[in-house]
Amino acid sequence: AVLGLASCNSYLDTMPDNRAEVDTPEKVRKLLVTAYPTTPYIFSAEVSSDNVDLVGKNNPNSSIFSDELFYWNEVREMDNEAPTNVWGANYSAIASANHALKAIEELGDTPDLKGLKAEALLCRAYGHFILVNMFSQHYSEEFGETDLGVHYMTAPETTLDPKYERESVKSNYENIEKDIEEGLKYIKETNYDIPKYHFNEKAAYGFAARFYLYKGDMEKVIKYASEVLGASPSTMLRDNIYLATLPQDGTATAREFISHNLKANLLLLTGSSNLGLAYGPYSIESRYTHNKLLCDTETFGIVKTPWGDFSEEEARALYIIPYRYYSGTNLNKVIMPRMPYFFEYTDPVAGIGYRKTVYPAFTSDETLLSRAEAYVRTKQYGLAVQDINLWLQAYVKEYVPVTQENIEKWAQSYEYYTPDKPTPKKVLNPDFTIEQGTQEDLLQYVLYLRRFETVHMGLRWFDIKRYGIKITRRLLDGENIGEVLPNVLEKRDNRCAFQLPPEVITAGMTPNPR
């Protein structure tokens, strides 16, 4: 009987499956590798933005998935980068962060675990930050309490078929802020062999700066962006002079763009993705793309700058890293080499596997422009111009310092954008007040530089939502406008929030209005 009871107890003490028990700091560290989303939001956001046009009525280089994104329809087509997978990847990452936090608590939350706790909190905050900004309206003091947010997960899921309710956008932002601020207390304790693939100190402050930019707390944007940039911001910016020494074939520069050795890259993330093909020298996904008309009238190739007017050829040569223009049958694509293409073989003999990319989630260059925007919003115009000049010095081949007066003249030289007469100056309609004149002129230029800095990176979509910028779709005939389409996205249009995955709605979660 004793032997039988002993055998029974031994059997009951055995885990019923192959789950791993996270019961040491090293296991927590390994678990946190999975606390970062593996599906980028970038393609969905980029094709939804004004960084693309319909290039050719019969252009076959596309998919039903891209069609749905371009016209802001509910995405029903399955794709690796579909909003459904963005939702799942971020909640999966959040689940890993919550399991890590639970394990840290059970291990006694000792001082040696503080760095891991900081990373877990920041990962949880980042996952929710992506979710609320993709699947909800932009944060607004006026509407934040009533706009539908997402469910904020603060504990591991332990029940079968749980039911969740959507919280408000304001509630989501409050929880994100709480996790960020708690994580920042101990982020200096993190220690990794290659810290750029984790929430290191600089990345954490870059995340905080972007969060407060979207929330509208400009003083904290300045505070945290300054932590990233330090006393010598120019040393933190992208080394474009070095990148220009690489073979300018559209691939070598892109691969080095995401190097963990570059100070400008604060946090690097990986994902299964077509981004390296869509924003590389390939025809894939070139039906809806950044093209020569957009380039010449709104982004890289505009001929008027605050320091002078140039010809089209001169404008292309202005920048240390030139843009690439690819043309041909059904091909009218202009790219900056930022998205590398990798292929992970699962069976080298059969030649099958997964398309991959690596992308910078946060950079010091974008953080600098966040601070410049915050300076403009707080009317510290002199400091804003200083930051603008720091950015220009890192990107312009023959840099000429610009003044506030130069920037105001640049903004005033443009009429407001219309689809048939495009300019980089778009009507701004945010939920906060912008003074006409100096403040709007400087904001127009900062938003232009942000667009330049983040083309192919998806962040333009969130700037559109922040500033209530109207988008009208166009069909190009060659390099010219063939037709202005009736598809228009207005400020706070319901379609500014991606629809929740169908299976989530079926499970009982409230869908976004349409």
Side-chain angles (χ1 to χ4, degrees), residues 48 83 193-194 238 263 289 291-292 317 319 371 504 506-507:
S48 299
D193 292 336
I194 306 179
R238 191 165 302 281
K263 287 185 177 181
T289 194
N291 52 76
K292 192 172 187 301
Y319 300 98
R371 188 173 74 172
V504 174
T506 301

Side-chain angles (χ1 to χ4, degrees), residues 181-439:
E181 294 294 344
E182 185 67 17
L184 289 177
K185 291 179 183 178
Y186 307 108
I187 193 62
K188 292 181 181 180
E189 306 297 326
T190 55
N191 182 24
Y192 285 96
D193 292 336
I194 306 179
K196 295 294 182 72
Y197 284 89
H198 300 269
F199 263 115
N200 57 80
E201 187 178 356
K202 293 286 189 183
Y205 286 127
F207 176 25
R210 187 183 298 169
F211 168 77
Y212 285 112
L213 184 75
Y214 287 14
K215 186 184 179 188
D217 189 336
M218 296 300 117
E219 295 298 338
K220 286 192 175 179
V221 176
I222 294 166
K223 173 185 175 181
Y224 289 126
S226 298
E227 290 285 354
V228 173
L229 299 165
S232 301
S234 59
T235 64
M236 285 295 301
L237 301 182
R238 191 165 302 281
D239 190 350
N240 288 306
I241 293 175
Y242 159 65
L243 293 177
T245 66
L246 301 174
Q248 299 298 296
D249 58 1
T251 58
T253 312
R255 285 175 177 249
E256 193 62 20
F257 184 88
I258 50 87
S259 170
H260 66 87
N261 293 316
L262 293 179
K263 287 185 177 181
N265 294 326
L266 306 180
L267 175 66
L268 297 169
L269 297 181
T270 64
S272 297
S273 171
N274 271 331
L275 287 169
L277 298 173
Y279 304 122
Y282 310 96
S283 60
I284 289 178
E285 295 293 357
S286 59
R287 177 175 168 88
Y288 306 110
T289 194
H290 182 259
N291 52 76
K292 192 172 187 301
L293 177 69
L294 269 170
C295 175
D296 291 347
T297 58
E298 299 182 49
T299 59
F300 310 133
I302 61 172
V303 297
K304 288 192 289 189
T305 73
W307 63 93
D309 295 354
F310 301 89
S311 66
E312 181 178 325
E313 197 58 36
E314 289 171 331
R316 187 176 187 279
L318 281 177
Y319 300 98
I320 297 170
I321 301 294
Y323 60 83
R324 273 76 166 170
Y325 173 43
Y326 301 97
S327 63
T329 303
N330 293 317
L331 187 63
N332 174 4
K333 177 190 281 191
V334 176
I335 65 163
M336 277 289 191
R338 293 171 176 171
M339 287 292 177
Y341 168 60
F342 301 105
F343 193 83
E344 178 185 359
Y345 286 98
T346 55
D347 186 337
V349 176
I352 58 175
Y354 299 101
R355 294 169 177 175
K356 297 280 187 176
T357 197
V358 178
Y359 63 96
F362 299 99
T363 69
S364 55
D365 305 71
E366 186 262 336
T367 303
L368 175 72
L369 294 177
S370 294
R371 188 173 74 172
E373 181 181 335
Y375 280 141
V376 176
R377 295 269 299 274
T378 55
K379 300 183 181 180
Q380 301 180 72
Y381 301 136
L383 292 173
V385 173
Q386 285 183 27
D387 280 355
I388 288 169
N389 275 301
L390 284 169
W391 189 92
L392 292 173
Q393 190 172 7
Y395 280 79
V396 176
K397 190 176 294 183
E398 295 182 8
Y399 161 70
V400 178
V402 301
T403 65
Q404 178 179 320
E405 182 182 12
N406 295 149
I407 296 169
E408 290 183 66
K409 285 183 177 179
W410 174 87
Q412 292 163 14
S413 69
Y414 285 107
E415 298 293 329
Y416 284 109
Y417 170 99
T418 59
D420 54 340
K421 294 181 180 179
T423 77
K425 182 178 176 180
K426 299 205 168 184
V427 175
L428 307 180
N429 190 25
D431 288 337
F432 50 87
T433 301
I434 299 175
E435 290 186 3
Q436 297 298 305
T438 298
Q439 189 174 50

